[in-house]
Amino acid sequence: MTVERTTRMPRPVVVDGMPMAPLVRAVLDECRRFSARDPVRALLTEAVQRGRLHPEALIRELEAGSDRGSALPREVLRDVLRGARSVAEVDAMAVWRRTGLPEPLWNHELRDASGRYIGTPDG
């Protein structure tokens, strides 16, 4: 016997008087519609790169919802959780892993000794 989780409706966000789905729900609902990996990669990495969504918020929303259509978003989110912030970085991670070299830090902020921001290299 299988038990299916019930999908909860998110609390709407009101924009100009119009109730809308929260961004995390809207992004994942759209990702669930895709059958190809690249559009899912593009949408999820863009939402995280622009600072609009945190990867853990996406994971929580996936866990709270239906499993239907969640395989590709879950797969892509594994790389996002490892630090990928673009489709090119997901590809770079895959190439890097084939080298057998130790995994670098991805998108890690560099700061000087006084804590001033220097930059954030991809890897």
Side-chain angles (χ1 to χ4, degrees):
M1 179 166 112
T2 60
V3 176
E4 187 173 323
R5 287 185 296 216
T6 58
T7 304
R8 64 172 173 73
M9 291 300 293
R11 178 172 288 139
V13 175
V14 179
V15 178
D16 294 329
M18 178 70 67
M20 312 280 269
L23 182 60
V24 66
R25 179 66 174 263
V27 165
L28 287 172
D29 283 354
E30 185 65 16
C31 286
R32 290 173 194 269
R33 297 173 189 261
F34 292 120
S35 58
R37 184 172 288 104
D38 283 346
V40 175
R41 286 169 152 184
L43 188 54
L44 291 178
T45 58
E46 182 75 13
V48 172
Q49 173 71 16
R50 289 184 179 243
R52 303 288 294 187
L53 291 175
H54 198 273
E56 281 79 13
L58 290 159
I59 294 292
R60 282 192 304 273
E61 184 67 26
L62 272 175
E63 293 301 320
S66 168
D67 285 339
R68 184 175 303 187
S70 69
L72 278 175
R74 287 176 196 281
E75 178 185 324
V76 170
L77 279 172
R78 281 192 287 275
D79 284 325
V80 172
L81 286 168
R82 290 181 188 122
R85 297 298 180 260
S86 69
V87 173
E89 289 176 12
V90 172
D91 292 338
M93 286 177 162
V95 169
W96 186 274
R97 289 187 188 113
R98 288 194 298 266
T99 68
L101 295 169
E103 188 80 11
L105 292 175
W106 298 98
N107 289 296
H108 184 75
E109 284 187 4
L110 299 178
R111 297 188 176 271
D112 66 14
S114 64
R116 287 186 306 251
Y117 177 78
I118 296 171
T120 307
D122 291 344

